[in-house]
Amino acid sequence: MPRSHRVADGECLSSIAYQYGFFPGTLWDAPENAALRRQRANPNVLRAGDVVTIPDPRVASSECATDERHVFRRKGVPERLRFQFLLAGEPRASEPYELEVDGEVLASGANTEDDGRIDHWIRPDARAATVRFLETQEAYFFALGRLDPVDDVPGVQARLKSLGFFLGEPDGADSEALRRALAAYQVERGLEPTGEADARTRAALVADHGT
């Protein structure tokens, strides 16, 4: 019988699908989640309290010879972690860095790509990542998982933080620090620096952030 899963802080569709043994796309496209798809156009953007319906798993079978050892591999489990680092608007190219995810070092001494990007496979239920540039010892911490909709204040804060304009935590507070961050971002994007998250600013944030 299908069950309901209420999205909690830090969870995303990929981590929920991993928990129940589904591919994210399979879970998102399930008929049982049609209402959720209408409510949230992007599977990567959920709100705490959203309900994801977990359908009954499909039973798969395979013919195997007895008295032999067989290996079955689960495909498509890892997720891709992609970041791009800029300095004064220019890519931080060929800089050595260390990537740590949930306390485990996944890369040490690797170099950023020519466009300042890093790209690694991670577990779908990963919660935190730290990128440390080895030559300067700069460290950047990222909370992984659910991203709030851009119509919500935490969603605006999270995107501004990822883009380097907001230094606080996505706490939902309509603060002076948030308004200053919005104004700085608007100046950078050639928008009127009102300090308000109007429709044009929210659309620009989604485009620049990627979600």
Side-chain angles (χ1 to χ4, degrees):
M1 177 180 295
R3 71 188 82 175
S4 296
H5 181 99
R6 192 171 296 276
V7 178
D9 285 334
E11 290 186 320
C12 60
L13 188 74
S14 292
S15 66
I16 295 168
Y18 180 68
Q19 177 182 340
Y20 291 100
F22 284 90
F23 293 120
T26 301
L27 189 57
W28 181 249
D29 293 335
E32 295 88 344
N33 287 311
L36 181 61
R37 290 197 300 275
R38 289 192 295 270
Q39 186 179 14
R40 307 277 179 247
N42 189 327
N44 297 311
V45 181
L46 299 177
R47 179 181 287 142
D50 283 345
V51 175
V52 179
T53 300
I54 312 299
D56 291 329
R58 292 176 295 179
V59 178
S61 62
S62 178
E63 294 184 2
C64 301
T66 59
D67 299 325
E68 292 185 12
R69 183 169 181 263
H70 303 278
V71 177
F72 296 90
R73 298 188 184 278
R74 182 181 177 185
K75 297 181 178 179
V77 171
E79 287 287 329
R80 298 292 284 275
L81 179 69
R82 297 184 179 96
F83 293 132
Q84 183 181 32
F85 292 91
L86 306 175
L87 183 62
E90 296 297 322
R92 299 185 65 162
S94 302
E95 289 198 40
Y97 67 90
E98 178 182 271
L99 171 65
E100 182 179 306
V101 176
D102 290 344
E104 179 184 358
V105 175
L106 299 186
S108 182
N111 289 338
T112 58
E113 299 177 8
D114 291 343
D115 58 0
R117 295 183 188 271
I118 71 173
D119 190 337
H120 291 273
W121 292 102
I122 63 172
R123 287 171 54 96
D125 57 353
R127 292 299 184 93
T130 300
V131 177
R132 182 174 294 101
F133 287 96
L134 300 180
E135 292 181 347
T136 62
Q137 289 301 302
E138 299 166 76
Y140 297 89
F141 175 81
F142 301 91
L144 307 178
R146 178 180 56 83
L147 179 66
D148 284 295
V150 75
D151 293 334
D152 295 345
V153 173
V156 172
Q157 293 172 317
R159 289 167 176 82
L160 286 170
K161 185 179 180 71
S162 291
L163 295 170
F165 290 90
F166 183 68
L167 302 179
E169 294 302 318
D171 57 6
D174 186 13
S175 63
E176 182 62 31
L178 174 58
R179 288 188 284 275
R180 288 197 301 268
L182 278 166
Y185 173 73
Q186 289 163 333
V187 169
E188 181 76 17
R189 296 290 278 110
L191 302 171
E192 183 181 357
T194 62
E196 301 293 331
D198 54 35
R200 290 186 65 192
T201 301
R202 292 197 303 270
L205 282 170
V206 171
D208 287 343
H209 188 272
T211 49

